[in-house]
Amino acid sequence: MFLDRFWANTINGLSYGSIYALVALGYTLVYGVLQLINFAHSEIFVIGVFGVYFTFLALGFQPGQTPNVPLAGIIANLVLAGAVGMILAGVAAVILERVAYRPLRKRNAPRLAFLITAIGASFVIQQVFRITRGSNPEGTIRLLPPEPLFRIFGAPVTNLQVIIILAALALFVVADTFVNRTRLGRGVRAVAQDPATATLMGVNRERVIMITFLLGGLLAGAAALFYLMTIPQGAVFNGGFLLGIKAFAAAVLGGIGNLRGALLGGLILGIAENYGQSLFGGDWRDVVAFVLLVGVLMFRPTGILGESLGKARV
Amino acid sequence: MSLLQLSDVNVAYGRIQALRGISLTVQEGQIVSLIGANGAGKTTTMKTISGLLGLQSGSMTFDGEDLTKVRADLRVRKGICQVPEGRGIFPGMTVLENLDMGGFVRSDRRSKEFADDQERAFTYFPRLAERRHQVGGTLSGGEQQMLAIGRALMARPRLLLLDEPSMGLAPQFIQQIFRVIEDINREGVTVLLVEQNATQALGLAHQAYVLETGEVTRSGPGSELLADPTIQDAYLGVS
C-alpha cells in the first residue's frame, strides 16, 4: 500500500512542503536578523489567506460555484489574488514589527519580552478574525480544480501541484538571490552575523529589520494563495496555527536562520508527513512530522544545514 | 585644522559613569593615540565617536559639524570608520565579501576604483590576497585584523578609528599592522588609535591622550609622553 502510493505521496508532499517552506522562510529570516521566533508569523500568513479569499470574492467568484472563466482568466485572477495576499501580508508584517517589536527594541527589552509579545500579537490577530468573521471557515471558493496533467512512475501529477512547486521554487530563488546577491541583501546578512559591526559599515539596521519582515510577509502571502488553492475551505481564523507550527518546525529542521535550510526542511517535512499518513493512517500525519523533527534534532541539534544566516553560509 | 573635536563628553552605561568630561582634538592628517588601562574608557570613547553609544552631555563635532544627532550608520557616510575591538569580521562571509561590506556606503561598487581599492587592501596585506575566497571565520587572528583594517579602508574614511589593533596578535603581525597604520596615515587618512601597547602607540602618535577611569589625565605629543618617566612607569613596563 505504501509502495503503491509512494510517488503520489512524494509529489503531494513536495506540494505541501513548498507551502511550509515559504512560511518557514519568514520564520528563518526574522530569526536570522533578530534571533526572535516570530510566533505571530502564522497570523501574518492568515492575513494573506483572507487577503486572497476576499480578492476572490471581489473578483466575483462565489462560494460553491464553479467559475466559468477561460484558463488564462483563471490564472490572471489567481496572480492578482496572490499579489493582494502578498502585499497585505507583507505590509501587516511590517506594521507588526513597528507596533509590537520596535518599541521593545528601543527599550532594550529582554528576549523573553519579545517572545511573549509575539505570542500575544498572534492571539490578537487571530481573535480579530474570529470576532469579525466568526469561528466557521469561509465558504469554499475553488478557482482551479485539480486535474492530472501527467504521470511520474504511474503517479498522477496535478496542475495545482505543478503550479505550486514551480512557483514556490521560483520565489525561493528570488529570495535567495536577494539575500546573497544584492547590496541590501548583504546588509541583511551582515546584520544577522554581527549587528554592531554592520552598523559600523553604514548599514541601517532598522531598515534591514523592516525589509526582513516585509520579505517574510510577502512569502507568507504567496504561501497563502497556494494554501487556498490546495485547501479551498481553509480560510478560517485559526487556519495558521498548525501550519505555522509546522513551518516553524521545518525552519528548525533545516537549520533556523538558514534560507536553504528552510526550503529543505519544508520539503522534507511535507514529504515525511505524507509518508507517515500513508504508513500509519491520517491521524498520525502530524505525529510523524514532529517525531521526525525530534529525531533529527537529536543527531543534528542545529538542523540539517546548520543555523544562522551568519555562521553557516546561506 | 581640527577634524574631530570632543568637548566635555560624558557617557554612562546605566548608572555606571564610563566617560567623565572627556575633551580631545584630532587634527586632520594626524595619528592620535589613546592609551590607558583596561576599563579606562578607551573603547567607550571609540564607540561614542562612531555612534554605537550615545552621549549624556557634551559636544562632538566632525569637520565643524555637530555629530551628536547623526545616526551611527550615517557617520560612516561622513567618513568616520571604526575597526571595532575584536575585529568584527563577518564570519560567514569570504574575505572579498567582507571587503565588499566595507564599501557598503559607496555607490561606485561596480567601478574600477572600487576594484582598485580592493586590490590596495591586498597590497597592504598580501596574506589576504591568498585567502580572498576563504570565509572570515576561518582566518587567524592576525589575518582577521588585517581584513578588518582593509575593510574599513574600503569606505574611503577621512577618520579611521582603530580599537586595539594589536590585541592578541603575534609580534610579527603587530609590526606589520603598525607599519600599515603609518602608511595609511601618509596617504592622508587621519587615525585615532586606541592601544594597550603604549610603546608602539605613542611611538607613531603625533598627539596622545592618557585615559584613567573615564578621564583624560595627560595629553601631549606622542614622543613627549613616551619620554615621560611617570608614563613609562605606569604604561610602558619600564622601571
Side-chain angles (χ1 to χ4, degrees):
Chain A
M1 178 66 184
F2 173 68
L3 288 179
D4 293 344
R5 305 244 332 127
F6 179 80
W7 288 106
N9 281 322
T10 307
I11 293 156
N12 206 20
L14 281 176
S15 172
Y16 269 96
S18 303
I19 298 172
Y20 295 150
L22 288 177
V23 180
L25 284 168
Y27 282 104
T28 237
L29 279 164
V30 167
Y31 182 86
V33 167
L34 285 179
Q35 279 77 52
L36 164 71
I37 298 162
N38 178 17
F39 277 116
H41 189 57
S42 50
E43 274 53 53
I44 298 297
F45 166 78
V46 172
I47 289 173
V49 169
F50 276 94
V52 171
Y53 186 82
F54 288 130
T55 312
F56 285 168
L57 285 181
L59 289 169
F61 298 99
Q62 290 301 321
Q65 292 175 0
T66 311
N68 187 18
V69 182
L71 184 65
I74 293 286
I75 300 283
N77 284 317
L78 285 174
V79 169
L80 181 63
V84 171
M86 286 174 79
I87 291 167
L88 274 180
V91 169
V94 171
I95 292 173
L96 170 76
E97 196 282 312
R98 279 275 163 120
V99 174
Y101 304 140
R102 185 174 291 190
L104 296 177
R105 224 168 33 249
K106 294 257 183 264
R107 288 170 179 72
N108 280 324
R111 204 166 280 179
L112 269 180
F114 284 88
L115 207 60
I116 293 293
T117 303
I119 293 171
S122 165
F123 272 112
V124 168
I125 299 171
Q126 227 181 70
Q127 292 309 312
V128 166
F129 278 115
R130 194 183 67 84
I131 291 163
T132 53
R133 304 297 304 174
S135 305
N136 296 324
E138 306 286 336
T140 302
I141 301 180
R142 194 190 274 285
L143 266 65
L144 195 60
E147 280 166 29
L149 278 188
F150 54 88
R151 289 178 171 270
I152 293 181
F153 300 110
V157 182
T158 69
N159 48 357
L160 292 186
Q161 289 166 333
V162 171
I163 292 174
I164 290 171
I165 294 170
L166 290 183
L169 280 178
L171 285 168
F172 170 78
V173 170
V174 170
D176 192 61
T177 308
F178 169 75
V179 169
N180 283 303
R181 297 272 169 267
T182 66
R183 173 172 177 274
L184 217 51
R186 260 190 285 262
V188 172
R189 288 172 65 202
V191 171
Q193 296 183 24
D194 187 338
T197 306
T199 304
L200 293 178
M201 304 291 110
V203 180
N204 183 345
R205 179 162 178 253
E206 292 298 319
R207 183 187 290 171
V208 161
I209 291 170
M210 195 191 84
I211 283 165
T212 308
F213 274 85
L214 178 66
L215 185 58
L218 291 173
L219 294 170
L225 171 70
F226 304 146
Y227 168 83
L228 265 193
M229 286 166 69
T230 313
I231 308 172
Q233 69 281 17
V236 61
F237 78 102
N238 60 359
F241 178 71
L242 193 57
L243 190 134
I245 290 190
K246 282 191 191 162
F248 173 60
V252 174
L253 185 68
I256 193 149
N258 186 323
L259 294 192
R260 285 166 202 176
L263 177 70
L264 191 65
L267 297 181
I268 289 177
L269 198 74
I271 292 172
E273 65 175 22
N274 270 282
Y275 289 169
Q277 179 171 3
S278 169
L279 278 173
F280 307 113
D283 293 344
W284 291 87
R285 183 187 174 103
D286 302 332
V287 178
V288 168
F290 288 100
V291 167
L292 172 79
L293 175 70
V294 173
V296 168
L297 291 184
M298 274 165 70
F299 297 102
R300 285 193 67 88
T302 54
I304 297 168
L305 293 185
E307 257 179 39
S308 166
L309 285 158
K311 287 161 211 139
R313 297 203 58 216
V314 246
Chain B
M1 103 177 226
S2 83
L3 185 61
L4 178 77
Q5 177 98 45
L6 273 68
S7 308
D8 200 20
V9 166
N10 289 288
V11 175
Y13 296 99
R15 267 182 240 157
I16 302 159
Q17 196 68 35
L19 297 185
R20 305 159 197 271
I22 295 257
S23 296
L24 60 84
T25 305
V26 178
Q27 301 288 344
E28 181 129 44
Q30 284 192 335
I31 298 179
V32 175
S33 292
L34 279 179
I35 64 167
N38 272 334
K42 305 188 298 291
T43 295
T44 305
T45 307
M46 290 303 224
K47 285 184 172 171
T48 306
I49 297 167
S50 62
L52 292 182
L53 287 173
L55 68 182
Q56 266 180 319
S57 63
S59 74
M60 181 162 58
T61 60
F62 182 73
D63 206 10
E65 187 191 346
D66 179 21
L67 208 54
T68 51
K69 298 277 182 289
V70 179
R71 259 190 358 235
D73 58 288
L74 298 178
R75 292 186 198 188
V76 181
R77 289 171 204 271
K78 295 193 179 295
I80 302 176
C81 290
Q82 186 186 355
V83 177
E85 188 181 14
R87 295 133 199 161
I89 293 303
F90 297 111
M93 296 190 191
T94 64
V95 167
L96 273 174
E97 287 173 320
N98 265 286
L99 289 175
D100 201 53
M101 272 313 295
F104 187 80
V105 294
R106 287 173 62 173
S107 51
D108 63 340
R109 290 151 41 84
R110 295 188 190 283
S111 70
K112 186 173 175 307
E113 287 92 69
F114 196 83
D116 287 348
D117 280 357
Q118 277 186 339
E119 284 310 313
R120 188 173 61 137
F122 293 137
T123 318
Y124 279 138
F125 303 114
R127 279 179 85 97
L128 291 182
E130 302 161 18
R131 287 166 171 59
R132 59 177 80 201
H133 297 296
Q134 198 171 319
V135 285
T138 63
L139 299 176
S140 75
E143 289 159 357
Q144 290 195 2
Q145 188 62 59
M146 295 172 184
L147 179 54
I149 294 174
R151 184 179 62 182
L153 292 176
M154 290 302 296
R156 299 200 161 167
R158 290 179 67 192
L159 173 65
L160 183 63
L161 309 171
L162 292 166
D163 196 348
E164 304 263 13
S166 78
M167 189 167 62
L169 297 191
Q172 77 268 23
F173 282 139
I174 296 182
Q175 290 311 320
Q176 191 186 358
I177 297 275
F178 280 107
R179 253 198 325 274
V180 169
I181 292 171
E182 287 194 287
D183 288 345
I184 292 168
N185 177 249
R186 242 176 261 124
E187 290 182 15
V189 180
T190 308
V191 176
L192 179 58
L193 173 68
V194 153
E195 260 297 336
Q196 288 207 20
N197 189 334
T199 317
Q200 295 275 11
L202 294 177
L204 49 75
H206 299 101
Q207 180 76 14
Y209 292 84
V210 179
L211 277 181
E212 280 174 36
T213 58
E215 289 176 84
V216 174
T217 53
R218 293 288 303 276
S219 64
S223 52
E224 197 177 281
L225 294 186
L226 195 57
D228 187 308
T230 56
I231 300 281
Q232 287 181 353
D233 213 29
Y235 297 103
L236 304 180
V238 185
S239 53

